[in-house]
Amino acid sequence: MQIKQILLASRPQGLPDDHTFNTVKSSLREPQPGEVLVKPLYFSVDPYMRGRMNDAKSYIPPFQVGEPIESGGVGEVITSRDDQFKTGDLVMATGARPFLPWATAAIFPGTHLRKIDNSIPPTYYLGLLGVPGLTAYFGLVDIGKPKAGETVLVSGAAGAVGIIVGQIAKIMGCRAVGIAGGAEKVNLLTDTFHFDAAIDYKGNPNLDAAIAAVCPNGIDIYFDNVGGEISDAVMRHLNFFARVPLCGQIALYNVTEVPVGPRIQPLMVTRSVLMQGFTIGNYSTRFGEGVKQLSEWIKAGQIKYTETVIEGFDQLPAALLGLFSGKNSGKMVVKV
Amino acid sequence: MQIKQILLASRPQGLPDDHTFNTVKSSLREPQPGEVLVKPLYFSVDPYMRGRMNDAKSYIPPFQVGEPIESGGVGEVITSRDDQFKTGDLVMATGARPFLPWATAAIFPGTHLRKIDNSIPPTYYLGLLGVPGLTAYFGLVDIGKPKAGETVLVSGAAGAVGIIVGQIAKIMGCRAVGIAGGAEKVNLLTDTFHFDAAIDYKGNPNLDAAIAAVCPNGIDIYFDNVGGEISDAVMRHLNFFARVPLCGQIALYNVTEVPVGPRIQPLMVTRSVLMQGFTIGNYSTRFGEGVKQLSEWIKAGQIKYTETVIEGFDQLPAALLGLFSGKNSGKMVVKV
């Protein structure tokens, strides 16, 4: 059969652009015994993918030039030559490389796939019960160790991880404050997701004063999704024994020189601050615990969810780039 | 009786100098019932004291202009009107403010003093069994969590804390590497204290390459006593899941502007690095555990000790300043 694939054409310097991607047509062979032909239905696009475009030592191997980009995704089985799967099953990739290639169809060994439950909207597996939900859960609970009455501030608060962090903070009895870009996102956080306060960093030239105004008792947990100048402003408001789960640094992903900023170590010493960088892979042995807890909160109506769905396989590169200009509210997915 | 005191004359901008201190003579009243007259024998001078010269929110209240500087010390009882103490007892201050004022004699309520054991050299209470020893112990063991076979790198390695960190690392089966300034200190670390390797940062224009050469398997624990450019060079060699106990930032204590440097958060995310600022007061409920363990290692001959003793009450300011130019090996104390 004829398929389309989106390859990494060249490693970007700074922000990816048209030269980064290359859409090609090719033909796909028939599945062999033990293999399964899968048609992707939804792809996830995520900030960490920018890091995989560099040829750098990191926690996931880099994309290869001339090979398809890959990301989390949900697909449908078209043809199966593995007894565990039948036509129409919804599947995701599993194991050490739990990604679907950016292709209109692909062949997998059955051992690299897992079936998902049809009764839950399939995109939930890319968001609330997937990487963003588990990232929010383990980062906040395991590193942040929230105690009732504490103030939790999250940056990138209207993103896929941020909206879940704020809601878990509320469930745990904390004051939840978000920082996001634009009045629309800020309203979403307070009105729909019941954050106690939200700050529009684009509309506040004095972010420092804006933080002080809504965090009168300082900040006990700073869940950092963005880095850069927003984090510089937040750090000054950390309380003694504050915890900083470092989840992402999206403000810095497209920077080509080593970024420079105020040194944070002196403040960390005088206020006994803990900072912990993490990636969700660190918690792979505990995913079951996270999915169980998140599912219970969803069923109890304690966690709401939102996503931005872009339509069309050809829109994958644009959707990924949209993350870096803040085009999404909640999880960004592409419906193929 | 007539005494001399050394007061904080003015808050320094940058490095303290002659204008920072003021030596005055005054007369001391007689001790009242419940009070004890103490003559200091040894004062400790420590890097953290620079922070107390600023009028800033920190973990210990700042020194007050026009009041005596104070620091850890061991004194001898001259006159006691508290039954718990008699003339000749060796004492230290205790409680929330465990310091002696920089004075040739001072009066304390008996409740603010504790007796120390005469069978141990008194300066050990200012070093190995005092703040530096406990700082090394809790920072390395509680935050660093060393595992046999790991590489521990300590900056400021020839200082009071550093020499103990390296020796505890060795006891725990780790490779101990130190960074210090000058050939003499480097030789001390490898020859006397049995570090596996030591780097002279003054003699190595390319610190990055020097670290790579002696840490072929990267760094698992970076015990940071100094901050600044030395730490910048170290960070690049951290392994996945490295731990960074942040103990001091002596390179930055006398900086008047907000210090700027490479942002460390992106590396902390991709390598899942933990950084924890701490001060020894965080462990006040566990001091007994630390003293017990350190005493056992001393008795077993597993920890050696060195100190730099400066003689003369009037030398206290110069001894304190000497810390910032690296004049000490091991603990710096002043014999009055």
Side-chain angles (χ1 to χ4, degrees):
Chain A
M1 68 186 290
Q2 291 295 306
I3 61 166
K4 276 203 285 191
Q5 291 182 311
I6 300 176
L7 315 180
L8 179 66
S10 63
R11 301 199 183 279
Q13 302 293 317
L15 207 62
D17 60 18
D18 288 350
H19 301 290
T20 309
F21 305 98
N22 187 20
T23 304
V24 297
K25 291 182 182 175
S26 59
S27 61
L28 191 64
R29 62 177 172 78
E30 294 296 312
Q32 302 299 304
E35 291 186 334
V36 180
L37 175 65
V38 174
K39 177 182 175 299
L41 301 177
Y42 293 95
F43 282 105
S44 174
V45 292
D46 301 280
Y48 76 85
M49 295 171 65
R50 175 62 186 84
R52 295 191 68 192
M53 293 181 178
N54 298 334
D55 191 14
K57 179 178 170 184
S58 184
Y59 50 98
I60 324 181
F63 297 132
Q64 295 302 318
V65 173
E67 296 288 323
I69 307 285
E70 57 184 21
S71 68
V74 174
E76 184 181 353
V77 172
I78 303 297
T79 311
S80 174
R81 298 193 63 185
D82 178 318
D83 290 346
Q84 307 291 313
F85 300 94
K86 62 178 196 301
T87 302
D89 281 348
L90 292 185
V91 293
M92 294 180 73
T94 186
R97 206 165 158 179
F99 307 112
L100 302 187
W102 283 11
T104 52
I107 291 169
F108 294 87
T111 51
H112 289 200
L113 295 173
R114 67 183 174 99
K115 268 188 275 198
I116 61 170
D117 180 350
N118 290 28
S119 71
I120 292 175
T123 55
Y124 274 40
Y125 288 96
L126 303 179
L128 200 43
L129 298 175
V131 168
L134 294 168
T135 299
Y137 177 79
F138 287 108
L140 182 61
V141 173
D142 198 70
I143 298 173
K145 295 186 171 58
K147 292 189 279 286
E150 289 190 325
T151 296
V152 176
L153 184 141
V154 54
S155 59
V161 174
I163 57 167
I164 305 173
V165 169
Q167 294 181 86
I168 299 176
K170 293 294 294 177
I171 291 169
M172 300 202 153
C174 297
R175 177 173 171 80
V177 177
I179 299 181
E184 193 179 338
K185 288 182 182 175
V186 161
N187 292 338
L188 183 79
L189 292 176
T190 51
D191 298 350
T192 304
F193 295 110
H194 305 300
F195 279 56
D196 294 286
I199 297 167
D200 172 14
Y201 73 87
K202 291 181 180 170
N204 270 290
N206 189 341
L207 190 54
D208 203 56
I211 294 168
V214 297
C215 300
N217 300 320
I219 296 165
D220 300 293
I221 300 175
Y222 172 42
F223 194 108
D224 185 7
N225 286 307
V226 304
E229 292 180 5
I230 290 175
S231 292
D232 297 341
V234 172
M235 293 294 289
R236 291 188 281 271
H237 300 274
L238 293 183
N239 287 333
F240 281 69
F241 301 108
R243 290 82 70 196
V244 182
L246 275 184
C247 172
Q249 296 282 293
I250 198 168
L252 306 176
Y253 287 174
N254 295 300
V255 170
T256 47
E257 312 218 324
V258 175
V260 166
R263 292 187 185 275
I264 56 177
Q265 292 95 327
L267 181 139
M268 290 183 65
V269 173
T270 53
R271 301 198 192 160
S272 291
V273 171
L274 178 145
M275 183 176 277
Q276 166 82 68
F278 75 105
T279 55
I280 191 58
N282 303 356
Y283 294 96
S284 57
T285 60
R286 294 173 57 189
F287 283 174
E289 168 198 336
V291 168
K292 180 166 177 290
Q293 181 61 78
L294 289 163
S295 302
E296 284 173 14
W297 284 331
I298 295 166
K299 285 176 197 159
Q302 291 181 279
I303 292 191
K304 296 185 190 180
Y305 190 56
T306 187
E307 57 194 10
T308 300
V309 181
I310 307 277
E311 303 231 356
F313 180 80
D314 295 333
Q315 297 303 309
L316 277 163
L320 179 60
L321 293 184
L323 294 173
F324 300 108
S325 51
K327 293 237 165 79
N328 56 309
S329 288
K331 182 76 190 90
M332 178 84 105
V333 297
V334 176
K335 186 170 191 289
V336 178
Chain B
M1 66 188 292
Q2 291 296 306
I3 62 165
K4 276 202 287 191
Q5 292 183 311
I6 300 176
L7 314 179
L8 180 67
S10 64
R11 299 199 184 280
Q13 302 294 315
L15 205 64
D17 60 19
D18 288 350
H19 302 289
T20 308
F21 305 97
N22 187 21
T23 304
V24 297
K25 291 183 182 175
S26 58
S27 62
L28 191 64
R29 61 176 173 79
E30 294 295 312
Q32 302 300 305
E35 291 185 336
V36 181
L37 175 64
V38 174
K39 177 180 175 301
L41 301 179
Y42 294 94
F43 282 105
S44 175
V45 292
D46 301 280
Y48 77 85
M49 295 171 65
R50 175 62 186 86
R52 294 190 69 190
M53 294 181 177
N54 298 334
D55 190 14
K57 179 179 171 184
S58 186
Y59 51 98
I60 323 181
F63 297 131
Q64 295 302 317
V65 173
E67 297 287 325
I69 307 284
E70 56 184 21
S71 67
V74 173
E76 184 180 354
V77 172
I78 304 296
T79 312
S80 176
R81 299 194 62 186
D82 179 318
D83 291 346
Q84 306 293 311
F85 300 94
K86 63 178 195 301
T87 301
D89 280 348
L90 292 186
V91 293
M92 294 181 72
T94 186
R97 208 166 156 179
F99 307 111
L100 301 188
W102 282 11
T104 51
I107 290 170
F108 295 86
T111 51
H112 289 200
L113 295 174
R114 66 181 174 99
K115 269 188 276 197
I116 61 170
D117 181 351
N118 290 27
S119 71
I120 292 175
T123 55
Y124 274 40
Y125 288 97
L126 303 179
L128 200 44
L129 297 175
V131 168
L134 293 168
T135 299
Y137 177 78
F138 287 109
L140 182 61
V141 172
D142 198 70
I143 299 174
K145 295 186 172 59
K147 292 190 280 286
E150 289 190 325
T151 296
V152 175
L153 184 141
V154 54
S155 59
V161 174
I163 56 166
I164 305 173
V165 169
Q167 293 181 87
I168 298 176
K170 292 294 293 177
I171 291 169
M172 300 204 153
C174 297
R175 178 174 171 79
V177 178
I179 299 181
E184 192 179 338
K185 288 182 181 174
V186 161
N187 291 339
L188 183 78
L189 292 176
T190 51
D191 297 350
T192 304
F193 296 110
H194 305 301
F195 280 55
D196 294 286
I199 298 167
D200 172 13
Y201 73 87
K202 292 180 179 169
N204 269 290
N206 188 342
L207 190 54
D208 204 57
I211 295 168
V214 296
C215 300
N217 299 319
I219 296 164
D220 301 294
I221 299 175
Y222 172 41
F223 194 107
D224 185 9
N225 285 307
V226 303
E229 292 180 6
I230 289 175
S231 292
D232 297 340
V234 173
M235 292 295 288
R236 291 188 281 271
H237 299 275
L238 293 182
N239 287 332
F240 281 70
F241 302 107
R243 289 83 70 197
V244 182
L246 274 184
C247 172
Q249 297 281 291
I250 199 169
L252 306 174
Y253 287 173
N254 295 302
V255 170
T256 48
E257 311 219 324
V258 174
V260 166
R263 291 188 184 277
I264 56 177
Q265 292 95 326
L267 181 139
M268 289 183 65
V269 173
T270 53
R271 301 199 193 160
S272 291
V273 171
L274 177 144
M275 183 176 275
Q276 166 82 69
F278 75 105
T279 55
I280 191 58
N282 304 355
Y283 294 97
S284 57
T285 59
R286 293 173 58 190
F287 282 175
E289 167 198 335
V291 169
K292 181 166 176 288
Q293 180 62 78
L294 288 164
S295 303
E296 285 173 15
W297 285 331
I298 295 166
K299 286 175 198 160
Q302 291 182 278
I303 291 190
K304 296 185 189 180
Y305 190 55
T306 188
E307 57 194 10
T308 300
V309 181
I310 307 277
E311 302 231 357
F313 180 80
D314 295 334
Q315 296 304 308
L316 277 163
L320 179 60
L321 293 184
L323 294 173
F324 301 108
S325 52
K327 294 235 167 80
N328 57 310
S329 287
K331 183 75 191 91
M332 177 86 105
V333 297
V334 176
K335 186 167 190 292
V336 178

